[in-house]
Amino acid sequence: MSEKRIALVGNPNAGKSSVFNQLTGLNQHVGNYPGVTVDKHYGSYQDADGDKVEVIDLPGTYSVFPKSGDEEVVKELLGQPDHPDFPQQIVVVVDTSNLERNLLLYTQVADMGLPVILALNMADLLEKEGLHLDEQGLSKTLGGVPVIFLNARKGEGIEELKQLIATEKAQPLSPFLETEAIQKVAQGEATSRADEVEDTKQRYRKIKSVLSEVLTRKAPEKSPRQWTQRLDGALTHPVWGYGLFLLVLFLIFQAIYTFASVPMDLIDGVFGVLSQAVATSLPEGVLTDLLAEGIIPGIGGVVIFIPQIVLLFAFIAMLEETGYMSRVVFIMDRLMRPFGLSGKSVVPLISGVACAIPAVMATRSIDQWKDRLVTIMVVPLTSCSARLPVYTLLIALVVPDAYVWGFINLQGLALLSMYLLGFASALVAAILFKVFLKAKQSSFLIMELPTYKWPRWQNIGLILWEKVKVFVWEAGKIIMALSIVLWVMASYGPPGRIQEAVAAAEAQGLTEEQVASVSLENSFIGIVGKAIEPAIEPLGYDWQIGIALITSFAAREVFVSSMATIYSVGEDFEEGSTMLERMRAEINPHTGLPVYTLATGLSLMIFYAFAMQCMSTLAIVKRETKSWKWPIIQFVYMTALAYVSAFLVYQGFS
């Protein structure tokens, strides 16, 4: 069985990723290009002859003359035949509703001497715009390139594309426009600004001439652009646009709490029953205790939040699929400029809602170094999905599950407030960094607003599968390891210390719960927790919360599994109580009050909103800035902000 490698190239929003998803289905994974932090998406499929075809989805680019890190990756790959990912064939995906701009990239790629297939995507929009494209005439005018019409949203033309990939000979085409600049790119040589500009001018002139011959107008159907313009009048309005966006956010977070509560309660109960079953059915011993008190609660601390992760990313994916997210970026640009941020900073900040790591990578599109650095330094303040499990747990503990006016869920409102707080704090921090770095406003947001479309449910399903897989696998590995370490530290202590403390407690006639607490306090983890308790007590935290804070600096979501493990050690699983019930029942021995009061819960949420608790993000920041200076500054200022803010909140609500 032979193997073939193809690469998908295209402008942003041309539907390239949809083609990738249709070709590869679930058989795909994400990696990084060597030496840079730009994602590359791999996938594969088997053609009709049983041969494997590897597909690489390259970052979206407008030209082979790069202006950003993503575009640089495309140029370097296509210009280096010895590159390990160099493809035998290029499929250039073109948005047929904007042929002139999209064909610019195609002609550049073809003139680099690469074998090309031209995939005309969203061809149905041509009919709606009242246009007819002569497919054969276009192929002939462009040097005999194979041309195929697609509707990747519906999967139309995908099988024909696979057949064309299998049968088309990988050979260069007749040149469209031979220029010195494109030859330099093909040979991996540097180009000047003048070379960029002159090549583009010449190509656009010739592309216009070609389209005048092959593109004709007829009576239009109802144009989607008419609807787009009408909707944009409201959705991008300088006043109503913000109100509608807040309404969308409000509905999203209300829905997350409304729809996720039932499966979350079910999962919580299942893992409680599973821990109980393991504890009662297996022989007593270290392995049974490890499974019942460490591993199972730790895994449960991950799995329980899958419903909310799925809902959050489903809504985000729908906003992107419909074209609304582009409008959000557009209107937020107006809001951010008074705060001194570059218009191009909008995309990383919006991306930060999902994860700070790709958000930091997305700053490569910002041309000016100081503007980019400011964005990198404030992006982790936006509430990422790793904070969602923490917020959810704490809100469930301290915010009543009640409704205002019969339809506004207080817990959903609290969650929305945390996300808005993260975004607002990023804007305020940006002002301070701009002053500190003395950066001038110099970048501008340049983007194309796509037409509105119905969501592609298959794409959304693939996105959700990928996000859940990453969350469970990547976070799960860390959580599993830390759960085992925490259980060991919570179950053992210095020789004889736990035994002596337990014997003394039993002699005093303490209850089983009190004896278990004494045992935990004298374990290794208890000793560490007690050591740091004086520093965190002003924030309303006890030593058990302190342990979870320490482990969370590996990854924020570890807080939940840490609490699950800590409160499971010594637990009587005969009662079948869930983690939430055990945490609600925790009593502060000094005050006699519940540990998780409103003041403590709010203090913890504020701490997690501001603290830099993600080693992976710090590593990416170091890699992007090429220095440990900036990640260290970022860690220090965010941790200090978290401590001071949490202190003020706890003291204010106590």
Side-chain angles (χ1 to χ4, degrees):
M1 183 176 69
S2 61
E3 183 172 327
K4 187 175 187 177
R5 181 184 296 116
I6 68 168
L8 301 181
V9 176
N11 288 185
N13 296 319
K16 179 173 54 63
S17 294
S18 298
V19 175
F20 176 74
N21 288 335
Q22 291 284 1
L23 287 173
T24 62
L26 292 176
N27 190 23
Q28 51 185 252
H29 62 280
V30 179
N32 288 108
Y33 289 97
V36 295
T37 51
V38 177
D39 281 348
K40 57 179 173 182
H41 296 264
Y42 283 124
S44 64
Y45 68 91
Q46 281 191 335
D47 63 17
D49 297 327
D51 294 331
K52 181 180 178 182
V53 180
E54 184 179 29
V55 186
I56 303 176
D57 184 14
L58 293 176
T61 181
Y62 291 105
S63 169
V64 296
F65 300 108
K67 294 182 179 178
S68 68
D70 285 11
E71 294 181 337
E72 184 70 37
V73 163
V74 178
K75 182 204 118 176
E76 289 185 357
L77 174 60
L78 299 183
Q80 296 182 24
D82 58 345
H83 193 288
D85 285 341
F86 189 78
Q88 286 92 37
Q89 216 164 30
I90 309 290
V91 177
V92 179
V93 181
V94 165
D95 175 5
T96 51
S97 65
N98 200 330
L99 278 170
E100 186 176 313
R101 194 205 63 224
N102 280 249
L103 284 176
L104 171 70
L105 176 63
Y106 158 75
T107 64
Q108 292 174 334
V109 173
D111 284 358
M112 291 175 68
L114 301 171
V116 179
I117 293 174
L118 182 59
L120 301 176
N121 193 30
M122 297 183 273
D124 56 318
L125 296 182
L126 279 178
E127 295 294 323
K128 293 180 180 179
E129 293 285 353
L131 297 171
H132 172 71
L133 181 64
D134 180 0
E135 177 183 359
Q136 293 182 348
L138 180 64
S139 173
K140 182 178 179 181
T141 310
L142 295 179
V145 62
V147 177
I148 184 169
F149 283 107
L150 299 178
N151 188 337
R153 296 171 58 82
K154 298 179 180 179
E156 296 173 358
I158 296 299
E159 289 304 317
E160 291 81 356
L161 175 60
K162 288 182 178 180
Q163 185 178 1
L164 195 58
I165 292 170
T167 58
E168 187 63 29
K169 293 181 180 179
Q171 58 186 12
L173 304 170
S174 302
F176 177 80
L177 181 68
E178 293 184 280
T179 64
E180 183 180 352
I182 207 68
Q183 294 304 314
K184 288 182 179 179
V185 174
Q187 295 168 13
E189 299 176 9
T191 55
S192 67
R193 177 70 176 174
D195 291 332
E196 289 179 24
V197 174
E198 184 57 33
D199 180 272
T200 302
K201 286 181 179 179
Q202 293 182 45
R203 289 181 186 279
Y204 270 133
R205 283 195 292 267
K206 189 168 181 180
I207 289 170
K208 286 181 180 179
S209 174
V210 169
L211 291 179
S212 67
E213 298 175 11
V214 300
L215 196 63
T216 56
R217 180 168 293 280
K218 58 181 182 178
E221 298 181 17
K222 188 178 291 184
S223 172
R225 297 208 175 268
Q226 295 176 0
W227 286 106
T228 294
Q229 291 168 1
R230 292 177 184 176
L231 286 172
D232 281 348
L235 297 181
T236 63
H237 191 275
V239 176
W240 303 118
Y242 295 112
L244 289 170
F245 179 47
L246 285 175
L247 177 61
V248 169
L249 289 179
F250 170 78
L251 294 175
I252 286 174
F253 289 108
Q254 289 291 308
I256 286 175
Y257 262 93
T258 301
F259 299 134
S261 58
V262 173
M264 289 181 70
D265 291 342
L266 179 63
I267 293 171
D268 197 16
V270 166
F271 275 89
V273 170
L274 185 58
S275 292
Q276 177 184 355
V278 169
T280 56
S281 61
L282 294 181
E284 291 186 6
V286 173
L287 180 59
T288 298
D289 292 342
L290 173 61
L291 288 171
E293 301 174 1
I295 293 177
I296 293 176
I299 295 174
V302 180
V303 176
I304 190 174
F305 295 104
I306 288 179
Q308 290 193 328
I309 295 291
V310 167
L311 283 172
L312 177 63
F313 281 109
F315 284 119
I316 291 175
M318 281 191 284
L319 295 182
E320 291 176 341
E321 286 282 314
T322 58
Y324 179 61
M325 187 62 81
S326 298
R327 275 75 187 175
V328 172
V329 172
F330 176 74
I331 64 173
M332 293 306 293
D333 176 53
R334 302 186 201 133
L335 176 65
M336 293 173 64
R337 287 197 177 278
F339 292 90
L341 276 171
S342 161
K344 294 183 179 179
S345 303
V346 177
V347 176
L349 288 176
I350 294 293
S351 303
V353 174
C355 179
I357 293 172
V360 170
M361 296 177 190
T363 62
R364 285 174 167 247
S365 64
I366 302 174
D367 301 327
Q368 298 299 319
W369 166 244
K370 288 185 178 178
D371 290 340
R372 183 183 173 211
L373 181 60
V374 171
T375 307
I376 288 174
M377 297 302 286
V378 303
V379 153
L381 287 171
T382 57
S383 289
C384 62
S385 59
R387 291 179 172 100
L388 182 60
V390 182
Y391 292 159
T392 302
L393 177 65
L394 295 173
I395 288 172
L397 282 171
V398 301
V399 178
D401 186 12
Y403 287 82
V404 179
W405 300 330
F407 69 96
I408 299 178
N409 185 289
L410 284 179
Q411 293 184 334
L413 197 60
L415 183 61
L416 172 60
S417 300
M418 295 308 300
Y419 275 80
L420 293 178
L421 174 64
F423 193 79
S425 63
L427 295 182
V428 174
I431 295 177
L432 299 177
F433 273 105
K434 282 286 183 180
V435 173
F436 174 71
L437 294 173
K438 296 182 175 60
K440 297 179 180 179
Q441 186 73 31
S442 54
S443 297
F444 300 92
L445 178 66
I446 300 175
M447 64 179 300
E448 179 183 9
L449 297 180
T451 56
Y452 293 98
K453 305 177 183 71
W454 285 108
R456 291 160 289 189
W457 303 112
Q458 181 183 5
N459 274 10
I460 291 176
L462 289 171
I463 290 170
L464 296 182
W465 169 253
E466 187 65 31
K467 297 298 183 185
V468 170
K469 184 171 67 173
V470 169
F471 175 73
V472 172
W473 180 244
E474 296 300 326
K477 289 187 293 186
I478 299 173
I479 288 170
M480 176 68 74
L482 285 176
S483 295
I484 295 173
V485 171
L486 285 174
W487 178 84
V488 171
M489 292 184 67
S491 300
Y492 299 93
R497 179 162 174 165
I498 293 180
Q499 292 78 0
E500 293 174 5
V502 168
E506 291 174 342
Q508 296 174 20
L510 298 182
T511 64
E512 289 185 11
E513 290 80 5
Q514 291 171 324
V515 171
S517 179
V518 168
S519 174
L520 193 60
E521 287 184 38
N522 287 275
S523 67
F524 289 119
I525 203 170
I527 295 170
V528 174
K530 287 292 185 179
I532 66 171
E533 192 171 40
I536 60 175
E537 195 170 13
L539 310 184
Y541 312 155
D542 62 10
W543 63 272
Q544 291 165 303
I545 296 175
I547 292 300
L549 287 182
I550 292 175
T551 57
S552 294
F553 279 96
R556 295 179 182 94
E557 59 269 40
V558 172
F559 172 84
V560 179
S561 61
S562 296
M563 301 309 290
T565 301
I566 290 170
Y567 288 120
S568 295
V569 175
E571 175 67 23
D572 182 4
F573 289 103
E574 294 286 349
E575 298 175 3
S577 59
T578 66
M579 181 179 69
L580 273 176
E581 291 169 344
R582 295 196 292 273
M583 293 179 73
R584 286 194 185 105
E586 277 297 305
I587 300 296
N588 187 319
H590 303 299
T591 64
L593 299 174
V595 169
Y596 295 97
T597 62
L598 177 63
T600 301
L602 293 179
S603 172
L604 267 172
M605 282 191 282
I606 292 297
F607 188 92
Y608 275 86
F610 294 149
M612 170 49 81
Q613 296 167 299
C614 183
M615 296 297 104
S616 299
T617 300
L618 288 173
I620 290 297
V621 171
K622 188 267 177 185
R623 195 170 173 183
E624 291 292 314
T625 61
K626 296 180 174 60
S627 169
W628 277 111
K629 171 185 175 181
W630 298 110
I632 290 173
I633 291 175
Q634 191 176 53
F635 178 84
V636 171
Y637 100 79
M638 289 183 66
T639 304
L641 175 63
Y643 188 94
V644 172
S645 300
F647 172 81
L648 294 175
V649 167
Y650 178 73
Q651 298 301 326
F653 281 86
S654 295

